[in-house]
Amino acid sequence: MTISAFLPVFNEEARISHALESLQWCDEIIVIDKNSNDRTREIAQSFGAHVKIVCMENSEAYDSNEWQLFIDNCTSEWVILFTASDVLSPILAKEIRTLISKPDFPFDILDVPFRRYVLGIDSPKSPWHARFSTKVMRKSSIILDMKDVHAVARFSGAKYRLENFEKYHMYHLTHENVDKMMSNHIRYWRAEGKSDKFSMGASAKGVLKEFFRVIYKRSFLLGYDGLMLMFAYLSYFMMSFVYKWEAKRGNGQKCYADIRAQISDEWKNFRKL
């Protein structure tokens, strides 16, 4: 059985070599490069012929077309989802390879042990915490919904979980600083504001739901670190609502243009006096 990695990137010269190092066991690595203007593409090419670079335009909002580009260029039966934030234990890579190479393996989807660090913090009390994540699947199990933002792909089939959490992990080392976090979030907020999949009512309910989630996770017990995680996490959902409000009800530009035009007319009339 062969496996392809899906790696979308933009200006990732500082991190892409670490991600690619963790993917050398794959038969094919498809790098979806969003017209990086640093050394991202050069570094990717240096990893060999099994790295396939596919280019697309970068956009101010998240563009789900990266998924379709990957599917169109993927030649393997199996897929592993990766980002420049990810690194993978070699023991886990070997385990994945062993499982999918079995001719009689009856599963379509693999959940892998997962550790998500946010601004350098990983804790079961983090609202982002998850012990497992769906990262490996048969290509045939992927179903795309291009109108969605966070759930562009869903997976259909029998699921297998690699339970040895203490032995190996996939690490997601996201948001190394607050500026990076906010710039990434803005791209998703813009896309969500334009999407027909989201309503203001559902978004408002989502904020309340996530508020109770951070209370349930007891993030506040981590002290200032926990408060930071709570505020950063909730700010995503609150600002998502603000962007959707602007898309449906925002009138700032017209309102201000009307006021400026009114005052401009007043000054013209004042000068005539």
Side-chain angles (χ1 to χ4, degrees), residues 26-201:
C26 295
D27 301 284
E28 176 181 69
I29 304 171
I30 299 177
V31 175
I32 306 295
D33 180 59
K34 302 171 186 179
N35 279 342
S36 297
N37 52 35
D38 63 359
R39 295 181 59 247
T40 295
R41 200 176 309 176
E42 176 187 342
I43 294 170
Q45 290 171 335
S46 72
F47 274 78
H50 69 307
V51 176
K52 184 177 184 179
I53 300 175
V54 180
C55 296
M56 66 179 286
E57 290 296 322
N58 192 36
S59 59
E60 292 185 349
Y62 172 73
D63 187 351
S64 57
N65 285 312
E66 64 183 31
W67 276 91
Q68 191 62 60
L69 280 174
F70 170 69
I71 295 296
D72 291 344
N73 286 276
C74 177
T75 63
S76 298
E77 178 181 353
W78 285 88
V79 168
I80 180 168
L81 309 180
F82 229 69
T83 73
S85 300
D86 297 327
V87 289
L88 183 73
S89 162
I91 304 175
L92 175 56
K94 182 179 179 181
E95 183 69 15
I96 293 170
R97 189 90 199 190
T98 299
L99 287 173
I100 67 173
S101 296
K102 294 178 179 179
D104 58 346
F105 189 61
F107 298 95
D108 307 290
I109 303 164
L110 297 181
D111 281 355
V112 303
F114 192 71
R115 295 187 68 174
R116 180 186 284 113
Y117 283 76
V118 176
L119 294 171
I121 299 174
D122 169 52
S123 169
K125 291 183 173 60
S126 168
W128 278 282
H129 178 74
R131 283 176 59 87
F132 298 91
S133 183
T134 301
K135 291 297 180 181
V136 181
M137 68 286 303
R138 295 184 196 270
K139 178 183 174 182
S140 58
S141 74
I142 301 175
I143 301 170
L144 298 182
D145 179 358
M146 304 305 287
K147 293 183 178 181
D148 212 323
V149 177
H150 292 287
V152 177
R154 60 185 180 89
F155 316 112
S156 176
K159 181 180 288 190
Y160 181 86
R161 174 168 285 181
L162 285 78
E163 293 284 357
N164 202 336
F165 188 83
E166 302 303 325
K167 187 176 180 181
Y168 43 59
H169 299 89
M170 181 172 176
Y171 295 84
H172 187 64
L173 310 178
T174 189
H175 306 323
E176 295 182 29
N177 55 63
V178 177
D179 281 351
K180 180 70 171 174
M181 172 186 277
M182 290 298 103
S183 64
N184 287 348
H185 284 181
I186 285 172
R187 296 183 69 244
Y188 284 103
W189 290 331
R190 287 170 176 159
E192 289 175 5
K194 296 175 181 178
S195 174
D196 295 332
K197 292 279 289 187
F198 298 94
S199 70
M200 289 181 60

